[in-house]
Amino acid sequence: MVLRVKLIILCFFTVCTFCYSQCQFGKKNEKQVKNIDSSSIINTIWVYNVADSCQDYLLFKNSTEYENYSCEKGDTIWGIYTIEDNIITLFEQKSAYEENFPIDSEHRKRLFIWKLQIRGKELIYLKSWQKIAPGEWIEFHVPEFYILTKKG
């Protein structure tokens, strides 16, 4: 009986410790999110190292436009962005290869909308959607490890 009570107490303290550490982790991440506006990210470059000699990047060109390069695809995407409640929303407009295909080709760029958040020197993908047909969007999963880091 005494052993059972000790085991229950040990489990209780383990659960409490775990919950407290998760709460502190959340507070740490909250502190890293700061209020941003477009002027604070103009001309910033955010990178993701795909491999040793392959790097994706996201460049905020001015207060409304961005450029996104995919090393694996060898493709550059241009678009516009907005910032609301510290969430950056990217709206893809066109691809470098867009004009190489007929307008109804399946190889033309399928548009995406991306929602991101800056946390310290990291740019985290929160949600994204892919346009599959006029007026039809599906949610698209971004791997959790795909985090861009501020360059410079």
Side-chain angles (χ1 to χ4, degrees):
M1 180 72 170
V2 173
L3 182 57
R4 179 182 256 174
V5 171
K6 287 182 181 180
L7 186 58
I8 290 172
I9 292 172
L10 178 64
C11 289
F12 175 77
F13 282 115
T14 303
V15 168
C16 289
T17 303
F18 175 77
C19 291
Y20 178 77
S21 67
Q22 291 301 308
C23 180
Q24 294 305 312
F25 177 76
K27 287 181 182 178
K28 178 183 173 189
N29 283 341
E30 286 174 11
K31 291 177 185 175
Q32 290 180 347
V33 176
K34 64 178 187 169
N35 289 333
I36 58 166
D37 60 22
S38 59
S39 65
S40 67
I41 62 171
I42 293 174
N43 292 322
T44 60
I45 299 174
W46 303 78
V47 297
Y48 175 75
N49 293 318
V50 178
D52 288 340
S53 60
C54 184
Q55 191 175 67
D56 292 353
Y57 73 80
L58 176 61
L59 163 65
F60 293 98
K61 296 169 69 169
N62 56 41
S63 64
T64 60
E65 299 176 312
Y66 74 91
E67 177 179 307
N68 189 7
Y69 175 73
S70 170
C71 174
E72 291 176 294
K73 296 177 185 173
D75 191 11
T76 303
I77 305 293
W78 294 276
I80 58 172
Y81 72 93
T82 62
I83 300 173
E84 188 174 323
D85 296 329
N86 292 323
I87 303 296
I88 301 168
T89 304
L90 306 179
F91 301 91
E92 291 188 358
Q93 302 289 301
K94 68 177 185 172
S95 161
Y97 299 115
E98 196 75 16
E99 296 171 1
N100 295 347
F101 302 104
I103 196 142
D104 59 346
S105 170
E106 67 181 50
H107 299 291
R108 285 186 72 97
K109 178 72 184 135
R110 298 221 174 174
L111 300 180
F112 284 85
I113 296 174
W114 309 92
K115 293 217 179 257
L116 305 100
Q117 187 174 52
I118 295 174
R119 295 183 187 159
K121 293 202 177 268
E122 294 181 333
L123 189 54
I124 312 293
Y125 282 87
L126 303 174
K127 288 186 176 184
S128 62
W129 298 266
Q130 180 182 18
K131 185 176 185 177
I132 57 172
E136 288 187 58
W137 295 82
I138 59 169
E139 193 163 340
F140 181 80
H141 176 71
V142 179
E144 292 177 12
F145 62 81
Y146 193 84
I147 297 173
L148 297 150
T149 306
K150 189 174 182 180
K151 187 173 184 176

